[in-house]
Amino acid sequence: MLDRAFLETLRAIVGDDGMITATPALQTYACDGLTGRRVSPAAVVLPLTTAEVAEIVRACAEAQVPFVARGAGTGLSGGALPVADGVVIGLSRMRAILDIDLDNHQVTVQPGVTNLEVSKAVRPLGYFYAPDPSSQQVCTIGGNVAENSGGAHCLKYGFTTHHVLGATFVTADGRIARLGGAVRDAAGYDLLGMVIGSEGTLGIVTEVVLRIVRVPESTETVLAAFATMGDAGEAVSRIIAAGITPAAIEMMDRLAIQACEEIVHAGYPDCGAALIVELDGPAVESAAFLRDVLDICAASGATETRVAASEAERALIWKARKAAFASMGRISPNYYVQDGVIPRTRLRDVLEQIGALSATYGLRVANVFHAGDGNLHPLVLYDNSEPGAGERALQLAGLILDACITAGGSITGEHGVGSDKACYMPKMFSPGSISVMGRVRDAFDARDLCNPGKALPTPRLCGEVPGMYRPHAIEMSGLAERL
Amino acid sequence: MASVAPELVLFAELVGAAHVRAADASDAVGGVVPSLVVSPADEDEVASVLSAATARGLAVVARGGGTKIDWGSPPERCDVVLSTSRIEGIVDHEPADLVCVVRAGTTLSHLQKTLASAPGFRQRLMLDPPQGDAATIGGMLATAASGPLRTRFGTPRDLVIGASFVLSDGTVGRSGGKVVKNVAGFDVAKLLIGSLGTLAIVTEVAFRLHPLPAASSTVAFESRSVLELCEFAARVGRLQVTPSVVDLHWPEGVVVVRFDSSEQGAAVQAERVTRDIGGRNLTPDDGAALTASRAGSPWTGAGAVAAVATLPARAGEFLSSMSATCDAVAWRPLLGTGEMRFAPEALETVRTAVRTAGGRLAIRRGDVFVSGDADDDVAVDLMRSVKRQLDPARTLSPGRQVGGI
């Protein structure tokens, strides 16, 4: 329990309407999108300004109380998991778009602004904000900065780190710093680059300068059907190798297609694997690349290709794709979503391994993923009422990550390490590498108060020897659909 | 330098006698002459050299091609130059994956040649820093150097997907990996890129690559008015086109816009520029000739060189005020960044103008070296804290960063 005097200090900063201490209301903040892990915080504060955030953090630092910043809570790795007897700093009320500067192709926002609100604000002017995580209707820019979020179109446009120019940053002891800025090439170390993707463990961003991009002249969307995942994977490798950079390349397997069709009825062909390839840019260029992509698909054994003839057809193709996670409920009582990365040239090989693991464990695995950058999202389907099924599914999901690492990939492409995969880090990084990361963390937050226990393994969490990876159940209901 | 002999022996034991030598005046770093030049063969030898230097309180400056060794403030101390010349070669190139892993001492030109000639593929690392031929990968990272391609592809931070490095206590670390999408662990490489060698010595780097374009088209717009040149560039930025290069050159009075794409894609975009806002569509030969004639600007010629940044929309006014002061300017109008050459005695004039424009300045060549004006005390304090954590003994390039870090 936090002592009364400390809570009164917080209340004095944010006022009664910015403070939550009642148990039922606190439970709303007990987890993020990784709902299997829950910890109720001692208090939630909802500041309105940078100064308030800094005062809260100073109060926490003085009282040695851990604090966790939170946006919309859509993260899938438990990155916003509260600390018991700690404070959650909810940034949802800081949701103003502060400045739209078309002359300099920049927008300045508070961290609680949703990703989609940025694009909506500038689209009528012919611009958009490129990173597009599929929770973009609800996820916030602050959370995107913490996680270095990507999205389907990051294949061409890059991640959050490529689109943030500057930030106002509250340090772990409550000071206010300007990192980067509207003018490029700030002197000294790239602290901004370090903070982006650090999962909220180094401090809290309270204002962000974003780069906006001109809307492309034309967009072409292809839906291609293949007999096998291997054939579709081959087409992906050939498209990348041909020097074409599509805006997005997404893949779904038969199981995923069937599940989506039950909900969306988008008319996907009944096939072993479907690819969605989107090309954008000047009309002539996307038309030329479209021809190349169609040729490559045919040469890779596509049984059917369709090009969206209208905006409505394009929207329908994407609707089915984006419904993939949500639709799993139609074909399985329970499922886990995994997030791993492999080199793009290893798609066929690793997908075969996943198929073999699925057979060995007697559990179905649906594959829906960002094929263009090798970011897999295998969905392990199981029935919790069947004894031992949950355990087997956990093991299978862990072995898929092992396969990703063996193939030269990564344990997470976009969902983050969070509290979920912290103990998996030693499988990917040497003790020396992890110690350097820990020293960077200490440089920003020597007292370990700022979102402790996330991103990096600790002996307390993981034991002296890293244990078997244990993903936690994810209940997606109530979340926006996610690619 | 009485202590040189025992240290020469010490380092000779670590890397072999053939790879340690007494330094001379040509090895000076920012005017500071070191005692020794040590050339370790690999990461392990870098670790042992750094541990030994740190244990003895010796300062170490890493050197690649030496093309940008004077960027940053002069080091407070420099006992050992650690040459990366033997940490050389391409470790891995997966052309179908558009990824390569390369050792830090490899020259950029060697890497580009190899990438362009992989059987069945023609690829490139989309970085073209000044003095790029002799520049090494490690030096390019330490200085975060970029060139005209920055407009489309960014700087080293945007294309590095992983790095291996050694801290001054001999700790060997790695961040990132060799896949283009990856959020596992802290991206420590971001701190090292542009660190001027003050935090760690990078030994190996993984890059994201791009295909060499099938075709290029170049548009040139000429004017004797800097404001007109800037306005033209701004209008290019508002078109639905994707140029690789938009560079303004002064005193030549030209904006060069280059499109790299498919044959048709490049031509159509160039035509759109000339049709909608003006300029001349150059023949491929003329385009190549113009690019070649501007390459190296503003570095060719005597004088001080500064890197400057302003808000893109304020550059016209700023550059106009500088047109008489500067002998040469190469500017990226869409980013508001560039380099300018001027007589050393004009430094204060340039500084004042940059300040008035709300911009940033770093001296890259001249009598006085400035690694940039720190504009936020708290940020600099965090930088000091990072330095204390990663290099507490201040072995690596002490004093070269902002705030004397």
Side-chain angles (χ1 to χ4, degrees):
Chain A
M1 284 297 290
L2 295 176
D3 72 61
R4 186 176 290 273
F6 174 72
L7 290 174
E8 286 316 306
T9 306
L10 295 185
R11 194 180 299 277
I13 298 166
V14 292
D16 282 337
D17 62 344
M19 180 96 180
I20 298 169
T21 48
T23 307
L26 287 176
Q27 277 168 2
T28 309
Y29 293 85
C31 67
D32 59 12
L34 185 73
T35 53
R37 263 180 204 210
R38 290 173 175 274
V39 175
S40 268
V44 176
V45 286
L46 305 168
L48 290 167
T49 64
T50 298
E52 286 183 8
V53 174
E55 279 187 69
I56 293 162
V57 170
R58 269 200 301 278
C60 289
E62 276 163 29
Q64 299 282 306
V65 173
F67 54 92
V68 178
R70 178 187 170 100
T74 59
L76 290 170
S77 59
L81 184 74
V83 179
D85 290 333
V87 172
V88 166
I89 302 175
L91 297 159
S92 53
R93 294 204 300 176
M94 291 180 69
R95 54 182 311 154
I97 295 177
L98 300 170
D99 182 41
I100 296 176
D101 178 358
L102 278 193
D103 285 344
N104 294 301
H105 298 196
Q106 299 175 355
V107 172
T108 304
V109 302
Q110 289 187 315
V113 170
T114 66
N115 175 291
L116 196 59
E117 279 170 342
V118 180
S119 278
K120 275 190 175 162
V122 295
R123 179 142 322 238
L125 308 166
Y127 289 81
F128 72 113
Y129 176 61
D132 62 338
S134 42
S135 54
Q136 68 179 153
Q137 291 195 337
V138 276
C139 70
T140 64
I141 293 296
N144 290 178
V145 168
E147 301 293 324
N148 189 18
S149 301
H153 291 81
C154 63
L155 176 60
K156 175 169 181 177
Y157 290 98
F159 313 99
T160 300
T161 190
H162 299 114
H163 296 274
V164 174
L165 294 171
T168 302
F169 176 76
V170 174
T171 65
D173 54 5
R175 293 174 297 161
I176 298 167
R178 296 282 317 173
L179 308 182
V183 176
R184 285 167 171 80
D185 294 346
Y189 303 140
D190 183 6
L191 299 180
L192 181 65
M194 191 61 238
V195 165
I196 297 168
S198 63
E199 305 191 0
T201 60
L202 303 183
I204 301 175
V205 297
T206 57
E207 240 178 73
V208 190
V209 184
L210 304 171
R211 190 165 73 90
I212 50 172
V213 180
R214 195 75 173 87
V215 170
E217 180 185 56
S218 83
T219 304
E220 299 283 0
T221 309
V222 184
L223 178 64
F226 295 85
T228 66
M229 293 282 278
D231 288 350
E234 194 59 40
V236 173
S237 298
R238 289 188 191 179
I239 290 168
I240 299 293
I244 301 166
T245 307
I249 309 182
E250 303 287 312
M251 199 194 294
M252 295 163 76
D253 69 1
R254 183 185 300 275
L255 201 50
I257 295 166
Q258 284 169 352
C260 292
E261 279 298 309
E262 292 220 1
I263 289 191
V264 177
H265 310 295
Y268 273 45
D270 181 23
C271 59
L275 274 189
I276 303 168
V277 183
E278 191 155 281
L279 301 145
D280 69 13
V284 175
E285 193 175 83
S286 38
F289 286 142
L290 173 65
R291 283 192 297 276
D292 294 343
V293 166
L294 292 174
D295 287 348
I296 289 171
C297 286
S300 307
T303 52
E304 185 184 342
T305 50
R306 297 178 197 170
V307 179
S310 66
E311 204 49 55
E313 282 187 31
R314 183 184 353 275
L316 193 60
I317 290 173
W318 278 110
K319 192 175 175 194
R321 167 63 185 86
K322 292 186 179 186
F325 284 17
S327 68
M328 287 302 139
R330 291 295 183 96
I331 59 167
S332 175
N334 306 92
Y335 69 94
Y336 300 134
V337 59
Q338 187 52 286
D339 171 40
V341 188
I342 55 170
R344 298 172 276 209
T345 43
R346 303 293 303 277
L347 275 174
R348 183 191 281 269
D349 173 27
V350 175
L351 290 171
E352 278 170 9
Q353 290 182 49
I354 292 174
L357 284 169
S358 166
T360 307
Y361 277 76
L363 292 170
R364 293 180 299 166
V365 177
N367 284 291
V368 185
F369 57 94
H370 311 297
D373 37 32
N375 186 192
L376 307 180
H377 290 317
L379 298 143
V380 182
L381 310 184
Y382 67 101
D383 182 350
N384 227 355
S385 65
E386 198 184 302
E391 280 297 305
R392 287 211 314 284
L394 292 167
Q395 285 174 18
L396 170 48
L399 291 172
I400 291 173
L401 275 197
D402 285 343
C404 290
I405 295 173
T406 307
S410 169
I411 58 172
T412 171
E414 57 184 4
H415 295 172
V417 172
S419 49
D420 191 35
K421 290 182 176 174
C423 300
Y424 220 77
M425 283 283 285
K427 292 212 170 199
M428 194 169 157
F429 293 103
S430 69
S433 302
I434 291 172
S435 78
V436 175
M437 294 174 192
R439 283 156 79 167
V440 171
R441 170 118 171 57
D442 288 346
F444 282 80
D445 177 23
R447 286 177 287 194
D448 198 24
L449 293 176
C450 187
N451 206 12
K454 317 294 165 60
L456 301 178
T458 64
R460 187 176 64 79
L461 288 171
C462 308
E464 292 305 321
V465 180
M468 169 70 191
Y469 171 64
R470 304 289 288 261
H472 279 245
I474 292 180
E475 305 148 25
M476 294 297 293
S477 56
L479 246 195
E481 71 278 4
R482 192 166 266 281
L483 290 180
Chain B
M1 309 247 170
S3 65
V4 169
E7 268 140 22
L8 198 144
V9 172
L10 165 76
F11 288 113
E13 275 170 18
L14 298 176
V15 303
H19 307 296
V20 182
R21 65 169 172 83
D24 58 43
S26 70
D27 297 307
V29 178
V32 184
V33 181
S35 307
L36 295 174
V37 178
V38 180
S39 308
D42 54 25
E43 182 178 87
D44 288 345
E45 287 191 6
V46 171
S48 58
V49 167
L50 288 183
S51 308
T54 299
R56 282 156 188 80
L58 303 176
V60 178
V61 174
R63 183 176 75 195
T67 59
K68 299 170 187 69
I69 195 72
D70 287 335
W71 289 26
S73 309
E76 277 166 30
R77 301 170 285 130
C78 176
D79 302 299
V80 175
V81 161
L82 188 154
S83 165
T84 59
S85 59
R86 295 173 67 215
I87 310 167
E88 193 269 337
I90 295 163
V91 180
D92 192 9
H93 176 208
E94 290 289 348
D97 245 342
L98 290 153
V99 163
C100 75
V101 180
V102 59
R103 294 197 185 91
T106 313
T107 61
L108 181 60
S109 60
H110 174 71
L111 176 65
Q112 302 287 33
K113 271 186 208 124
T114 309
L115 298 176
S117 58
F121 295 90
R122 294 172 67 245
Q123 299 179 347
R124 185 179 158 88
L125 171 61
M126 287 298 179
L127 293 169
D128 53 357
Q131 302 99 28
D133 278 355
T136 61
I137 298 304
M140 182 173 68
L141 256 64
T143 53
S146 65
L149 287 171
R150 177 176 181 178
T151 294
R152 176 157 170 199
F153 297 100
T155 64
R157 82 185 286 286
D158 299 307
L159 297 170
V160 169
I161 57 174
S164 299
F165 48 82
V166 184
L167 303 190
S168 60
D169 63 5
T171 303
V172 173
R174 176 175 68 80
S175 68
K178 52 175 199 170
V179 284
V180 293
K181 190 174 187 182
N182 179 10
V183 294
F186 285 178
D187 194 358
V188 178
K190 287 280 191 305
L191 284 178
L192 308 184
I193 296 168
S195 67
L196 299 169
T198 56
L199 294 177
I201 292 185
V202 172
T203 53
E204 207 170 279
V205 186
F207 285 108
R208 174 184 189 165
L209 306 174
H210 288 81
L212 275 169
S216 296
S217 289
T218 305
V219 172
F221 173 81
E222 282 151 3
S223 169
R224 292 318 302 163
S225 156
V226 179
L227 283 175
E228 256 182 47
L229 293 170
C230 285
E231 177 54 26
F232 174 84
R235 292 177 69 188
V236 172
R238 290 194 290 268
L239 287 181
Q240 286 171 310
V241 293
T242 324
S244 297
V245 174
V246 179
D247 272 7
L248 182 160
H249 292 281
W250 192 262
E252 292 76 12
V254 63
V255 173
V256 181
V257 182
R258 196 177 81 221
F259 296 97
D260 299 323
S261 179
S262 61
E263 193 85 44
Q264 231 182 343
V268 163
Q269 295 185 76
E271 276 160 31
R272 173 156 319 151
V273 171
T274 51
R275 187 190 69 210
D276 291 0
I277 53 178
R280 286 184 300 123
N281 206 334
L282 303 185
T283 65
D285 285 351
D286 288 352
L290 179 59
T291 298
S293 76
R294 295 292 93 233
S297 173
W299 291 86
T300 41
V305 175
V308 174
T310 70
L311 268 181
R314 292 191 69 175
E317 189 190 336
F318 164 71
L319 292 176
S320 294
S321 76
M322 287 285 88
S323 58
T325 309
C326 290
D327 299 324
V329 177
W331 190 258
R332 320 244 121 85
L334 300 190
L335 307 177
T337 63
E339 288 166 328
M340 41 212 336
R341 176 163 52 84
F342 46 86
E345 50 275 18
L347 175 61
E348 275 318 303
T349 313
V350 173
R351 259 192 132 143
T352 307
V354 171
R355 207 171 290 138
T356 307
R360 308 185 197 275
L361 172 103
I363 305 295
R364 300 295 196 214
R365 188 176 79 190
D367 303 332
V368 190
F369 296 93
V370 180
S371 41
D373 293 319
D375 47 11
D376 187 292
D377 291 343
V378 178
V380 173
D381 203 51
L382 286 173
M383 291 175 201
R384 286 208 175 89
S385 181
V386 168
K387 172 75 172 176
R388 271 197 303 276
Q389 281 292 333
L390 298 191
D391 180 25
R394 302 185 80 240
T395 300
L396 292 167
S397 294
R400 301 213 80 180
Q401 256 298 358
V402 290
I405 293 170

